[in-house]
Amino acid sequence: DNGVHVPVFYTPAFYLGTDWVKGVEWEESLDHLKKCYKTSVVACWTMWIPLQTVTFSVVPVHLRAVFVCGCNLGWNVALDFIAHNT
């Protein structure tokens, strides 16, 4: 997931998709992606690799969905901050 999905699909889809919804021109969207790509991917790896390790080694099965949803809220805030401040 973090090795292929995040750098190849998730990050480009996030920036190009959100810019498309906002009506941003294609070239400007590509520039936005290029500007934020490395920071976003490294932040994702920094957050999610340790969290997934904790999820599957420490968090009880019946609490995993709640734990991951809470972490995802934090990730969405972090990604929004990166997208608007990089």
Side-chain angles (χ1 to χ4, degrees):
D1 185 47
N2 281 295
V4 175
H5 179 253
V6 169
V8 175
F9 300 108
Y10 176 81
T11 303
F14 171 79
Y15 284 101
L16 299 176
T18 55
D19 282 350
W20 176 73
V21 169
K22 293 187 285 187
V24 176
E25 294 293 325
W26 179 251
E27 293 300 322
E28 189 178 342
S29 292
L30 288 175
D31 289 341
H32 189 205
L33 173 61
K34 290 174 188 174
K35 180 179 167 187
C36 298
Y37 180 82
K38 183 177 179 182
T39 304
S40 299
V41 171
V42 170
C44 185
W45 290 340
T46 301
M47 179 176 169
W48 282 108
I49 292 173
L51 283 174
Q52 290 296 347
T53 302
V54 169
T55 299
F56 293 108
S57 64
V58 177
V59 178
V61 174
H62 68 283
L63 296 175
R64 287 181 184 168
V66 175
F67 178 75
V68 170
C69 286
C71 295
N72 196 39
L73 175 62
W75 168 244
N76 286 326
V77 170
L79 186 57
D80 186 59
F81 181 81
I82 293 166
H84 291 92
N85 294 298
T86 300

